[in-house]
Amino acid sequence: FYAQALETGEATSPTQADLHRKRAEALAKAGRGYESGQTYLQAAACSAHNDAAELRRLAAEQLMRSGHLDDGSRIFFNLLREAGIYMPTRPLESLLCTLSLRALIRVRGLRWRERSEADSPASTLRKLDLLWNGAMVLTSANPIFANYLQARHMLRALRAGEPFRLASTFSVGAIYVSLGGNREYKHGLKLLNLGRQLAERFEDPYLLALTYLSWATVDLVCGYVENGLVHCRVAVTHLKQVDRRAKAWEVGSSNMLLTWFLGWGGRIRELSERLPGSMEA
């Protein structure tokens, strides 16, 4: 419908900008990441009526999530430069920076002074969301750099104190922490519990799904198959309640994890029943 409205050629410039943005949101919710990314870029081109930087961030996110890493990363790295966020140029430098940031977080602790989103500077939230995109989407393609981005996100989120972003960073941060193996499992659980408590306080199904999806990933890394299966099922339950944001990437990740856990847990009958539906989804 948004596309048809645009095709009439009758919309004013402000209306065109709004239609492009809403069409991009609808495509993202439908899991059509590439088309969504391209449409977000069209919306960003209407810079007189839209927040161009924010829409470019959303475009980069959708492009990277849909596998168009070169196009998405190019936009994403330009946004990082424009935001003044330091980017290590080599893997070893990323690793050393990450270790320094993680050590700083452990020394300062996980304390924060809570501020609502409305009371937080827009520039702070913009940088947090940009770091979040990279930490989430680049996990597989560039895990060392993604780890660095997540560490920076956690430190900034603790300083900002905005609860939604804190819950997100605690949950996903647990995944990166758990890469240290079973010796870091308890530390990962501490982060997950903080994220879960915030998500439950706000009764936010997306945050709850993210927490349990992250928990299942930590179980995967540390070899807790039965726990991972339970947490993955809970994540799927919460994702079904999410209706206000794009969730195709999260649904795909949960289906992939569930497939692994069912196979490794020896639940072959259930796996054979679920697999066709998961592949269609």
Side-chain angles (χ1 to χ4, degrees):
F1 290 143
Y2 293 131
Q4 289 173 9
L6 286 162
E7 287 169 3
T8 65
E10 298 178 6
T12 62
S13 294
T15 303
Q16 284 186 25
D18 189 50
L19 288 170
H20 281 304
R21 179 179 54 78
K22 289 181 176 178
R23 180 169 180 254
E25 292 171 356
L27 288 165
K29 288 182 178 180
R32 295 164 65 175
Y34 180 75
E35 294 171 80
S36 174
Q38 294 299 323
T39 308
Y40 270 127
L41 291 176
Q42 289 178 300
C46 306
S47 56
H49 309 290
N50 276 327
D51 185 341
E54 174 64 9
L55 293 174
R56 285 165 60 211
R57 179 185 72 81
L58 293 170
E61 178 184 25
Q62 288 301 317
L63 289 170
M64 290 190 293
R65 286 190 173 203
S66 59
H68 296 83
L69 289 172
D70 290 341
D71 293 340
S73 296
R74 184 164 52 251
I75 299 169
F76 177 70
F77 290 137
N78 284 335
L79 287 168
L80 286 176
R81 292 187 192 95
E82 292 168 14
I85 296 173
Y86 178 72
M87 291 186 293
T89 55
R90 297 182 180 181
L92 179 59
E93 186 183 1
S94 294
L95 179 60
L96 293 175
C97 288
T98 302
L99 292 173
S100 298
L101 288 168
R102 298 285 183 204
L104 178 58
I105 292 170
R106 294 218 181 187
V107 169
R108 79 173 296 283
L110 300 174
R111 304 177 304 278
W112 70 88
R113 184 163 64 88
E114 188 167 314
R115 299 182 184 87
S116 68
E117 185 172 272
D119 293 332
S120 302
S123 59
T124 297
L125 299 179
R126 188 185 298 274
K127 288 183 179 180
L128 279 169
D129 292 342
L130 192 56
L131 290 167
W132 166 255
N133 285 149
M136 281 288 284
V137 181
L138 294 175
T139 307
S140 300
N142 193 344
I144 296 176
F145 185 61
N147 197 346
Y148 161 74
L149 293 175
Q150 201 287 318
R152 288 205 65 160
H153 184 271
M154 183 176 288
L155 187 58
R156 282 179 178 268
L158 286 166
R159 290 170 176 168
E162 196 282 310
F164 187 95
R165 290 161 178 86
L166 277 169
S168 302
T169 205
F170 288 146
S171 297
V172 175
I175 298 174
Y176 287 100
V177 166
S178 71
L179 296 177
N182 279 359
R183 69 179 184 275
E184 296 291 348
Y185 187 67
K186 288 185 178 180
H187 186 205
L189 288 183
K190 181 179 180 181
L191 293 173
L192 287 165
N193 280 319
L194 286 171
R196 179 177 55 80
Q197 288 166 15
L198 286 168
E200 288 177 346
R201 197 175 100 198
F202 291 99
E203 298 182 344
D204 189 303
Y206 178 80
L207 280 179
L208 286 165
L210 179 65
T211 298
Y212 282 98
L213 187 58
S214 299
W215 204 332
T217 306
V218 171
D219 292 327
L220 172 71
V221 171
C222 295
Y224 295 100
V225 174
E226 291 300 320
N227 289 347
L229 185 57
V230 171
H231 295 141
C232 200
R233 291 189 197 278
V234 176
V236 171
T237 299
H238 287 300
L239 279 173
K240 291 177 179 178
Q241 301 171 28
V242 176
D243 59 3
R244 65 182 180 84
R245 61 172 62 226
K247 59 179 182 179
W249 190 82
E250 288 82 354
V251 169
S253 298
S254 63
N255 283 333
M256 180 178 65
L257 282 170
L258 193 55
T259 298
W260 286 345
F261 285 127
L262 288 172
W264 289 334
R267 300 171 183 262
I268 305 304
R269 178 174 296 176
E270 184 178 353
L271 175 60
S272 64
E273 292 171 352
R274 291 188 60 94
L275 194 55
S278 297
M279 293 177 70
E280 289 175 7

